């Protein structure tokens, strides 16, 4: 009986001490970081507060990254930006065999932009040598002509120009935990995306099928991957953005959700 009461008391204390992460925070498995992964971060070994790790760097402007304890006990990364700020976890010195890799993260966004028109945001960005394309496998845009806010694969900085190939088949979902996966494959300079384990064939790009200028799209030899949030236009509605990220992994194989 004493053991039961001790466990119950500890659970109540943990629940009352939960951080500012919304209810229903990610609890799906797997949570462990396998040594065979190219990169993994579940935030469980980090102290709450500002990032304190040598595994990854920080890239911010008008934004912050904070490790917080979720209501269910696991730890997550709270990303917060103001207006058109940015806040990224940055994986440097990254190298995938053959330059082909998969990524996964669990994500909850409090609210997406509804102003200005065509407000464009990025959550995952990959860069490297051999191509000036800044590849954005997970991002999106507010489209006032629909109207709506939609996910889309995109790029910038290279010959194909600045584009986000948003799709009406992939509307965003606010205030809900979702699992995002992506693949970069140099075989056809292919980018592919899965949401909650389901592929969206329209959320793809390849050498001659993309949303930019009529020139080949070529993936860089990726050595840097950034995960977080950036919005590129000022005067946003809302004026601040909050999202929570968990279970980040980069791998030679698709990990699933």
């Amino acid at each position: 009986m004493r053991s039961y009461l001790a466990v119950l008391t500890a659970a109540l204390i943990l629940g009352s001490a939960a951080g500012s992460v919304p209810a229903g925070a990610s609890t799906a498995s797997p949570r462990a970081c396998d040594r065979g992964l190219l990169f993994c971060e579940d935030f469980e070994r980090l102290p709450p507060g500002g990032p304190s790790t040598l595994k990854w760097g920080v890239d911010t402007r008008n934004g912050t990254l904070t490790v917080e304890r979720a209501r269910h006990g696991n730890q997550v990364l709270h990303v917060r930006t103001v207006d058109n700020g940015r806040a990224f976890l940055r994986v440097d010195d990254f190298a995938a065999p053959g330059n082909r890799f998969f990524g996964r993260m669990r994500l909850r966004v409090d609210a997406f932009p509804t102003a200005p028109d065509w407000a464009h945001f990025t959550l995952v960005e990959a860069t490297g040598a051999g191509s000036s394309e800044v590849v954005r496998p997970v991002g999106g845009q507010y489209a006032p002509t629909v109207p709506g806010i939609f996910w889309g694969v995109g790029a910038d900085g290279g010959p194909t120009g600045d584009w986000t190939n948003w799709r009406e088949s992939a509307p965003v979902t606010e205030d809900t935990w979702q699992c995002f996966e992506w693949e970069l494959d140099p075989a056809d300079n292919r980018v592919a995306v899965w949401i909650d384990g389901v592929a969206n064939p329209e959320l793809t790009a390849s050498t001659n099928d993309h949303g930019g200028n009529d020139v080949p799209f070529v993936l860089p030899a990726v050595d840097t991957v950034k995960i977080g949030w950036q919005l590129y236009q000022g005067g946003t509605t809302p004026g601040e953005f909050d999202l929570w990220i968990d279970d980040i992994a980069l791998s030679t194989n698709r990990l699933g959700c």
Side-chain angles (χ1 to χ4, degrees):
M1 177 63 72
R2 288 182 179 178
S3 297
Y4 171 78
L5 290 175
V7 170
L8 178 61
T9 301
L12 291 173
I13 292 173
L14 180 61
S16 64
S20 60
V21 180
S26 170
T27 58
S29 59
R31 305 208 57 83
C33 280
D34 191 311
R35 290 185 179 181
L37 298 177
L38 300 173
F39 174 82
C40 184
E41 181 60 86
D42 60 10
F43 306 103
E44 295 304 312
R45 296 179 179 272
L46 299 183
S52 178
T53 178
L54 298 178
K55 287 177 57 179
W56 45 271
V58 173
D59 178 5
T60 62
R61 183 186 63 81
N62 294 332
T64 59
L65 300 176
T66 309
V67 176
E68 297 180 352
R69 186 163 297 281
R71 186 163 295 186
H72 290 281
N74 59 298
Q75 295 199 150
V76 297
L77 184 67
H78 181 186
V79 181
R80 181 176 179 82
T81 64
V82 177
D83 198 46
N84 62 333
R86 70 175 182 267
F88 284 111
L89 173 159
R90 179 178 174 124
V91 182
D92 292 307
D93 300 322
F94 178 76
N99 198 38
R100 178 176 181 261
F101 69 96
F102 294 80
R104 184 200 66 204
M105 68 177 174
R106 306 189 198 281
L107 170 71
R108 182 172 186 161
V109 181
D110 182 52
F112 290 88
T114 56
D117 289 352
W118 307 108
H120 170 210
F121 51 90
T122 296
L123 289 89
V124 178
E125 186 175 281
T127 55
S131 172
S132 55
E133 300 282 5
V134 179
V135 182
R136 296 164 175 166
V138 183
Q141 195 158 26
Y142 167 58
T145 53
V146 178
I149 311 167
F150 306 99
W151 296 111
V153 173
D156 193 10
T160 59
D162 182 5
W163 53 276
T164 302
N165 201 13
W166 55 269
R167 296 295 187 174
E168 290 185 51
S169 63
V172 302
T173 302
E174 296 182 343
D175 200 28
T176 300
W177 279 99
Q178 293 181 287
C179 177
F180 280 77
E181 300 172 86
W182 62 93
E183 177 190 15
L184 271 62
D185 185 352
D188 190 25
N189 297 293
R190 180 176 173 81
V191 181
V193 176
W194 296 258
I195 301 176
D196 290 332
V198 179
N200 186 319
E202 290 191 300
L203 290 180
T204 59
S206 60
T207 306
N208 297 309
D209 186 8
H210 53 80
N213 300 325
D214 189 18
V215 295
F217 173 64
V218 179
L219 293 175
V222 177
D223 58 25
T224 302
V225 179
K226 298 198 299 185
I227 298 172
W229 175 271
Q230 181 167 5
L231 203 152
Y232 301 93
Q233 297 83 14
T236 61
T237 300
E240 299 176 347
F241 297 91
D242 289 276
L243 56 148
W244 291 264
I245 298 175
D246 197 6
D247 295 327
I248 297 171
L250 304 175
S251 175
T252 55
N253 300 301
R254 186 182 167 202
L255 297 168
C257 291

